[in-house]
Amino acid sequence: LRQVSDLTDFSRGHWLRELLCRGEEPSHVQSSPDGQHLLLLQKSRPPTLPRVVAFQRHSIAGADLERSWQPPQPALVGLLFLQSPVVLGSWVLAVVWEHGRTEVWHFVVAVGWQLLQTLELCQGARARVVSVCSQGASLVWCEERPPLGAHSDMSKCAFRFCVCARALEVGEQGVRLGTVRIVLHNSPEYQVLASPQHVFLVPSAAAFATTSRFLLIWHPEKSEFTITAPSAGFIHSKVLRSSSESDFRKLLLGSVGLLSGFTPLDIHTSTVSNSGGLLLVSTKCSVSVVEPDGTHRHIFDLEGGPLAQGSHVQLKTFGSILACVLAGVLYLVDQNSGRLIEKEVLSMKEVHFLESQGEEDSIQLLTQTGIYSFSFSKPEDSSRPEPCLVEMVFEEACRYYQRRSLSSSKLTVEKLKKGGTFQAPVVLAAILQHSLHQKQKPAQGLQDTYAKLLSTMSLELQSYMSLELLKTCVVCAPESEVESYCKELVEQEVSRILQSDMDKDNLAYLNSVFASFPKAAWKATRSCLQLQQNGDGLLVARATPEVWKKVLCQPQLEEVGQNGMVPLFELICASFLRFKPKWLPSFVELTQQYISNSWSYSSKEGPEGRVPLYKRALGVLARKNKHSEADEEMELELLLCSKRPKAVLQALHLLIRLKQWQRVVEVAEKFSKLSPLLNKEIFTTLLAEFAQHRELDPYLDRLWPLCPAELTASDILTMVLQYLPHSQEDPVPFSSEGNQLTVGLLKPLLHRVLQRPSVQDEMYSDALQSTTFPPPTPPREH
């Protein structure tokens, strides 16, 4: 933190210092787009009058701007610097008063501030401006329109505000106001905050509880409103095609029930970042951002207790860095990752941010003694070319050693560096420091052992650097190219994790990747497992055994279900169901083939030791929101592809329930060959169905050959009598319905069984088939 200029750099610097050193600080400090003018709005109590003062750098001759007003005059609402679309690089200052009067000032070198024109924003004489901002070449404001009647309905008085927009064109001939455009009428009081393409509508503290549970985002180019709530994210968007649709109540007509269940907004301070998002600070010191598309993201939590109503928090973004000053402490936070870069305790309590004049690697602060610059860029002569990367090495090493430590004491980065016990992170940090920016002499300054390690891991380093470069491209790429970058990034990330240990953190990361980029994750999975169809239309996979083990590993029971985390096998099955459902049964069959080659059938250490794979796939199918006929077919295929007796019988019962008799017989013929026990279970099930109804009669010639060899005629008759339906009427010889079982239908099966040789006959078949009968007398012994 160094001083870059004194307050004497401004004209009347002693007056500026005197103003800043008083007990009452200015409520608003703003610098001009070129950084040459400093604007202060001082709202203090009598006897000192509130006033606006403009200070000029480098003491160029010219009149200074100073405007003050008496208390009876309406208060000042906004100070806005507007770009002139006619003259490039030219800007004007608009001073907006509460009753709608607007003064447009222009600064001319060697002449000073000149009043170009005084305008009237509002059309009604009774309107009162409560908030104003500039969006492009237009002014957007929220005004109060009091009801005409003195005793009007209080419910109607609550929605007496209106959001308006009006073009303000600054040309060589003067200033011209366009027609008033009603953006939203009959609305509660809103504070309007403008980004380059959008306008955020933040409800004021005086708004009712029902209307202070959400935010509105107006998109001028599309004439569209987005409703969003920090507690729920994006809710609804609606295009307003005519002025009649711009009513606040009509806008919320379809979302009132949903909005009433949200928690009220907790907003202490709000401002717009340079990237176009809305930065919010809650009373609990939580900093978050609402993007223009309505999504909400938490960034950082400031230290300190609940913020009081009068406490002052300052926010400003410099590139991707968020600067925040609270209670004399400066926080520098990376907006993208939420990581705290720097925390600095300032010697002064009251500071104000200034424009950095195109320098995104420094922050300028206005204090009572001068202007200071805080630089967070890397020095040129730094011996650590990638400090963030090196710190990541030590932090990851701390987590690694902490998991394997038997001690309860917390291992820190400082202990890791100074202890001298852990050499691996020190070696890796040294390699990173000497190799990332010295490609022409990668081994310069390294020990011989380090140089050998560097040559061994050079390919890994190149892969890692290309991955980091790709991540940077994703962050900086335009929207049209983000999808292609994300596809490549997800493929590299999935491949990287499948080559590392599948711990709980990596599994949680994979869950987030599959949830955020489902299509890219599906393509990455196909690429890593090398899934494709061969010439016969069968699914084949050429993944290595190490990758298969990562796919099939099942975490501990206490780790599953935390924050919705599911194992990788279930993630892949969900991708199959979404993008290629026909391949899922074949994939389950492939995994079972790999298991049968790698583990014994009943091994509890294997992936199927606790829950079979087909049941895990069925669990993914059961979690689908909507179930259809295709899902029933998928359930059948998963049960049959497992080839397990219980699963086959379950599929057979499902087909019987669906009355698909042709498939019932086909499944019976196919799976009866697997084992005699399964054959007996299938035949018993079908014989029970045959005894109850006549649906299987067309398939009896295919059903009877499935009869097991150990069943006798008496066994069959016993089972048939057991499963015969009980009739409520007296039995008759001939039924008129024609659906009862007759002896004629059962005769072919009984005839087939009776003609079959019994087990005892087979035992003595060799003796019965002897050429001589009776057998010859054995020779006598002397």
Side-chain angles (χ1 to χ4, degrees):
L1 187 67
R2 60 186 179 86
Q3 186 173 3
V4 294
S5 65
D6 193 2
L7 296 182
T8 55
D9 290 350
F10 292 92
S11 61
R12 297 183 296 174
H14 62 284
W15 189 18
L16 176 59
R17 183 181 292 107
E18 178 185 354
L19 187 63
L20 293 176
C21 291
R22 286 177 184 170
E24 303 221 4
E25 292 291 331
S27 61
H28 182 77
V29 177
Q30 190 172 356
S31 57
S32 60
D34 57 5
Q36 297 299 318
H37 297 269
L38 190 64
L39 210 64
L40 272 70
L41 172 61
Q42 188 181 18
K43 291 182 180 180
S44 57
R45 299 182 181 91
T48 306
L49 297 178
R51 58 183 171 179
V52 177
V53 186
F55 295 94
Q56 180 186 353
R57 274 185 185 268
H58 309 306
S59 301
I60 302 175
D64 293 320
L65 174 63
E66 181 179 353
R67 294 283 287 125
S68 60
W69 62 96
Q70 299 291 336
Q73 186 176 350
L76 189 67
V77 178
L79 301 171
L80 306 172
F81 285 103
L82 306 175
Q83 294 288 338
S84 174
V86 178
V87 183
L88 187 63
S90 177
W91 49 267
V92 295
L93 171 66
V95 183
V96 184
W97 308 85
E98 190 179 50
H99 59 317
R101 181 168 298 173
T102 302
E103 296 180 358
V104 182
W105 293 78
H106 181 53
F107 183 81
V108 181
V109 180
V111 177
W113 288 95
Q114 290 182 338
L115 179 62
L116 291 181
Q117 201 165 345
T118 302
L119 308 167
E120 293 291 340
L121 273 185
C122 305
Q123 290 180 331
R126 303 173 69 248
R128 183 178 69 90
V129 179
V130 295
S131 176
V132 65
C133 66
S134 62
Q135 206 283 322
S138 300
L139 292 178
V140 182
W141 71 95
C142 179
E143 66 177 42
E144 180 184 11
R145 294 183 174 180
L148 296 176
H151 302 284
S152 299
D153 187 8
M154 288 303 296
S155 62
K156 294 181 179 179
C157 294
F159 302 95
R160 63 183 184 274
F161 293 87
C162 182
V163 180
C164 309
R166 199 168 186 179
L168 190 147
E169 299 179 1
V170 182
E172 298 178 353
Q173 305 299 327
V175 182
R176 187 178 70 85
L177 274 177
T179 57
V180 177
R181 177 185 179 186
I182 304 298
V183 178
L184 193 67
H185 61 86
N186 295 333
S187 73
E189 181 180 351
Y190 277 111
Q191 179 190 6
V192 289
L193 299 167
S195 70
Q197 284 84 27
H198 313 86
V199 178
F200 295 93
L201 276 66
V202 182
S204 66
F208 284 106
T210 54
T211 59
S212 62
R213 300 174 185 266
F214 56 90
L215 304 172
L216 295 179
I217 306 173
W218 179 47
H219 310 268
E221 294 183 357
K222 305 177 184 177
S223 297
E224 181 182 16
F225 266 101
T226 296
I227 306 173
T228 180
S231 60
F234 173 82
I235 298 173
H236 180 61
S237 63
K238 183 178 182 180
V239 178
L240 306 182
R241 296 179 176 82
S242 62
S243 58
S244 61
E245 296 182 359
S246 62
D247 185 79
F248 177 76
R249 298 177 183 179
K250 291 183 179 180
L251 178 65
L252 302 181
L253 192 59
S255 309
V256 175
L258 180 64
L259 296 173
S260 60
F262 295 149
T263 57
L265 295 176
D266 181 14
I267 300 176
H268 181 276
T269 305
S270 59
T271 187
V272 178
S273 66
N274 55 4
S275 61
L278 177 65
L279 294 169
L280 301 176
V281 181
S282 68
T283 57
K284 299 177 183 177
C285 298
S286 175
V287 184
S288 58
V289 62
V290 178
E291 300 294 346
D293 59 358
T295 56
H296 175 264
R297 179 170 57 89
H298 175 263
I299 297 180
F300 187 72
D301 288 327
L302 303 173
E303 296 178 357
L307 296 175
Q309 191 64 33
S311 56
H312 194 51
V313 182
Q314 292 205 44
L315 295 173
K316 193 169 181 61
T317 53
F318 299 85
S320 63
I321 305 300
L322 169 64
C324 178
V325 174
L326 172 62
V329 180
L330 173 65
Y331 299 88
L332 299 181
V333 182
D334 187 350
Q335 287 187 88
N336 300 323
S337 63
R339 185 171 60 90
L340 179 64
I341 299 175
E342 193 75 31
K343 176 185 174 183
E344 191 78 16
V345 179
L346 305 178
S347 58
M348 62 288 293
K349 292 293 181 183
E350 293 293 338
V351 296
H352 301 274
F353 290 117
L354 299 180
E355 294 293 336
S356 58
Q357 303 179 28
E359 300 177 3
E360 293 188 349
D361 56 350
S362 65
I363 296 174
Q364 289 196 357
L365 305 171
L366 174 66
T367 68
Q368 299 172 359
T369 58
I371 297 179
Y372 291 82
S373 174
F374 191 95
S375 177
F376 47 84
S377 61
K378 172 177 59 63
E380 293 297 330
D381 56 349
S382 174
S383 60
R384 297 168 61 194
E386 289 288 335
C388 296
L389 188 57
V390 173
E391 287 298 323
M392 285 175 56
V393 170
F394 286 108
E395 290 173 4
E396 186 69 25
C398 277
R399 294 170 53 193
Y400 177 83
Y401 290 122
Q402 191 74 49
R403 285 200 303 264
R404 287 154 176 77
S405 175
L406 299 177
S407 174
S408 59
S409 61
K410 183 71 175 178
L411 182 63
T412 62
V413 175
E414 288 74 18
K415 292 181 182 178
L416 196 68
K417 293 179 180 178
K418 297 176 182 178
T421 307
F422 309 100
Q423 292 296 316
V426 179
V427 172
L428 183 56
I431 290 176
L432 291 175
Q433 287 177 346
H434 287 81
S435 63
L436 294 179
H437 290 279
Q438 298 179 7
K439 296 181 180 179
Q440 66 276 11
K441 296 179 180 180
Q444 182 180 3
L446 282 177
Q447 301 178 14
D448 293 339
T449 310
Y450 291 8
K452 292 179 181 178
L453 282 172
L454 177 59
S455 62
T456 303
M457 59 187 298
S458 59
L459 293 178
E460 296 292 335
L461 272 176
Q462 293 176 10
S463 175
Y464 182 84
M465 290 305 297
S466 64
L467 184 60
E468 292 299 315
L469 180 62
L470 183 58
K471 290 180 180 178
T472 307
C473 294
V474 172
V475 175
C476 304
E479 293 185 4
S480 58
E481 301 177 6
V482 166
E483 186 176 355
S484 60
Y485 281 125
C486 285
K487 188 186 304 180
E488 184 179 353
L489 175 61
V490 169
E491 183 172 346
Q492 292 194 27
E493 287 287 78
V494 172
S495 175
R496 178 181 66 84
I497 292 177
L498 287 180
Q499 295 173 4
S500 58
D501 294 335
M502 188 58 66
D503 55 6
K504 186 169 64 175
D505 295 333
N506 280 339
L507 186 58
Y509 180 55
L510 270 182
N511 274 258
S512 64
V513 168
F514 273 77
S516 303
F517 309 99
K519 191 172 183 180
W522 158 245
K523 293 184 177 179
T525 303
R526 287 186 57 181
S527 176
C528 293
L529 297 178
Q530 300 186 40
L531 290 172
Q532 57 186 354
Q533 282 183 318
N534 60 9
D536 299 331
L538 300 176
L539 186 68
V540 294
R542 295 181 175 87
T544 60
E546 289 76 14
V547 174
W548 273 122
K549 289 180 180 179
K550 302 291 192 316
V551 170
L552 298 176
C553 72
Q554 193 171 9
Q556 298 297 324
L557 294 177
E558 60 270 11
E559 296 179 0
V560 181
Q562 294 183 356
N563 298 324
M565 187 175 65
V566 297
L568 178 57
F569 179 76
E570 277 77 354
L571 287 177
I572 296 177
C573 288
S575 294
F576 271 105
L577 283 176
R578 183 170 181 176
F579 298 103
K580 203 75 172 179
K582 293 182 179 180
W583 283 12
L584 180 57
S586 302
F587 172 72
V588 175
E589 199 168 358
L590 279 176
T591 55
Q592 291 177 154
Q593 291 175 6
Y594 171 74
I595 288 175
S596 62
N597 296 331
S598 303
W599 286 281
S600 60
Y601 187 76
S602 59
S603 174
K604 291 186 177 180
E605 288 77 16
E608 289 205 332
R610 286 172 288 180
V611 181
L613 291 178
Y614 80 93
K615 286 189 177 181
R616 294 172 65 179
L618 285 174
V620 177
L621 180 63
R623 285 193 288 270
K624 285 187 65 177
N625 295 329
K626 297 180 180 179
H627 293 273
S628 59
E629 294 182 1
D631 294 334
E632 291 184 347
E633 184 67 26
M634 179 62 65
E635 183 179 355
L636 280 170
E637 293 293 334
L638 290 174
L639 289 170
L640 294 175
C641 76
S642 68
K643 298 180 181 178
R644 291 200 168 195
K646 289 184 179 180
V648 171
L649 290 175
Q650 186 178 346
L652 194 67
H653 284 290
L654 182 58
L655 286 171
I656 291 173
R657 180 170 58 83
L658 297 175
K659 297 183 178 181
Q660 298 183 12
W661 304 111
Q662 176 72 23
R663 292 195 62 188
V664 166
V665 176
E666 291 175 357
V667 169
E669 289 177 336
K670 178 179 180 181
F671 290 95
S672 292
K673 303 173 183 177
L674 294 181
S675 69
L677 289 176
L678 183 58
N679 181 20
K680 185 175 181 181
E681 291 287 342
I682 291 176
F683 183 78
T684 303
T685 302
L686 297 184
L687 189 61
E689 293 295 323
F690 164 75
Q692 296 174 22
H693 51 76
R694 307 275 54 82
E695 301 288 347
L696 282 171
D697 289 358
Y699 309 98
L700 293 182
D701 55 340
R702 299 169 60 182
L703 183 61
W704 300 147
L706 302 179
C707 180
E710 65 270 15
L711 286 184
T712 63
S714 59
D715 294 336
I716 293 174
L717 290 174
T718 303
M719 284 189 288
V720 168
L721 292 175
Q722 178 184 354
Y723 293 112
L724 276 177
H726 298 284
S727 176
Q728 301 296 330
E729 303 174 357
D730 295 333
V732 293
F734 304 100
S735 173
S736 60
E737 297 179 0
N739 60 352
Q740 290 189 354
L741 178 61
T742 61
V743 178
L745 291 174
L746 200 58
K747 183 178 178 181
L749 176 60
L750 296 175
H751 185 69
R752 185 185 187 92
V753 173
L754 290 173
Q755 284 186 340
R756 183 186 301 161
S758 64
V759 177
Q760 292 183 352
D761 293 341
E762 291 180 357
M763 291 174 58
Y764 299 106
S765 60
D766 295 338
L768 294 175
Q769 293 175 3
S770 178
T771 55
T772 59
F773 186 80
T777 305
R780 297 175 182 269
E781 293 183 358
H782 298 283

